Amino acid sequence: ILMLLGMARTAEACAPKFGEVVLRDDYAVIAIIWQADGTARVADLKTDSSYRLIILPQIAAEAIRARMAYLRGLGYTDAQIQDMPVVSSERDATTQARPAELSAFLLGILTRTMHPDDDYWDTVKMQMTQEPDMDAYGIPSTDVTRRSRCSELCNGCGMDPLLVDAMMGHAPPKGDTANRDNYLRQPDNWPIVASMTERIVYDPERTTNPAFAQTHLAPGGVRQIQTGKHWLFLPRRRTVHPPDRGTDV
């Protein structure tokens, strides 16, 4: 979830603890100030821009709460959970996962559920080789989640590309005065950003994206749906009469 909805790098996703998460009813916020180096946490990120906030939608907040409830069920106290990693090793809930473990786990899910054919993965590998996304140490990364979600936020959700860059930890282009990193640091904006990231959640009960939040129109009705910066107008249903004989339709 941290990678798919927050565009965190693999090593960044392994580092946060539950006590560092700002948890609200309809969103969650995590400061990316650490990354995992094996099972250790280090405050050594790629650039100054990599130190940032990621804002996660409601489904992420629900998942974090569910994980904490599961740990309570195992007998851990609230104080213990606060000091535990959000992403833990498979065999020890008190130890953060290694980035390689998380990457292999996620790749296994993608392989089984999305594109099992070799042609797809050959294309992905070719793209990552030609245009690599660097990890926090400047080493080419094989992670495809950040790139795909970045495209969806920009093209499918109407999010400002500079804001997406700030969430991904990219440096702003020269001459840019928008200061999207400062925008992300203002709590009043967190619900706004969360509602944007919610649009890439493929669950009709947890998204505001009209592609997944179904709208039913009664005959003769009209409704307008807000889609990011635009409005989609759904016209009234017209009565269609049978065409005259010989007319092509």
Side-chain angles (χ1 to χ4, degrees):
I1 280 179
L2 300 185
M3 296 172 67
L4 293 174
L5 301 180
M7 278 79 69
R9 296 179 175 90
T10 310
E12 295 169 346
C14 292
K17 296 182 179 182
F18 284 108
E20 298 166 348
V21 180
V22 177
L23 202 56
R24 298 291 183 263
D25 290 339
D26 51 358
Y27 64 90
V29 181
I30 295 180
I32 300 298
I33 55 177
W34 304 90
Q35 68 169 334
D37 183 4
T39 56
R41 291 207 311 174
V42 295
D44 179 21
L45 302 188
K46 177 182 175 184
T47 65
D48 289 344
S49 300
S50 296
Y51 296 88
R52 65 196 188 279
L53 294 179
I54 57 174
I55 290 87
L56 299 159
Q58 181 177 357
I59 190 172
E62 293 174 357
I64 293 171
R65 287 194 181 89
R67 175 65 175 171
M68 295 172 71
Y70 170 76
L71 293 172
R72 290 189 194 97
L74 294 180
Y76 293 102
T77 66
D78 286 342
Q80 289 174 320
I81 293 172
Q82 291 295 300
D83 194 45
M84 292 170 68
V86 176
V87 181
S88 68
S89 175
E90 183 178 2
R91 295 177 178 81
D92 183 3
T94 64
T95 303
Q96 70 185 31
R98 296 174 182 271
E101 288 181 286
L102 178 57
S103 181
F105 175 76
L106 188 57
L107 182 60
I109 292 177
L110 292 173
T111 302
R112 291 193 300 271
T113 61
M114 293 181 63
H115 296 279
D117 58 285
D118 292 336
D119 290 343
Y120 172 80
W121 291 110
D122 288 342
T123 303
V124 169
K125 291 175 183 178
M126 181 178 66
Q127 181 188 18
M128 296 304 293
T129 300
Q130 295 176 349
E131 301 178 23
D133 183 24
M134 302 298 180
D135 67 12
Y137 289 111
I139 300 172
S141 170
T142 57
D143 171 42
V144 299
T145 57
R146 280 165 48 89
R147 185 166 298 203
S148 62
R149 289 306 180 263
C150 172
S151 299
E152 291 181 16
L153 285 172
C154 291
N155 300 324
C157 302
M159 183 182 283
D160 182 349
L162 294 177
L163 183 57
V164 177
D165 275 340
M167 288 189 64
M168 295 183 74
H170 292 170
K174 293 182 179 180
D176 171 55
T177 58
N179 199 353
R180 293 303 185 185
D181 180 68
N182 183 62
Y183 179 89
L184 289 175
R185 295 176 187 275
Q186 300 177 33
D188 289 346
N189 296 327
W190 293 349
I192 300 172
V193 177
S195 69
M196 295 179 186
T197 58
E198 187 181 71
R199 293 176 185 145
I200 58 174
V201 177
Y202 303 148
D203 184 339
E205 296 181 357
R206 292 180 174 87
T207 181
T208 55
N209 189 332
F212 303 101
Q214 300 179 11
T215 298
H216 300 280
L217 286 181
V222 62
R223 186 175 300 178
Q224 58 186 18
I225 303 173
Q226 188 173 10
T227 59
K229 299 179 181 178
H230 308 284
W231 288 86
L232 172 65
F233 292 91
L234 302 178
R236 300 180 189 277
R237 175 180 288 182
R238 295 185 303 164
T239 301
V240 180
H241 299 284
D244 295 335
R245 182 173 297 176
T247 303
D248 292 332
V249 178

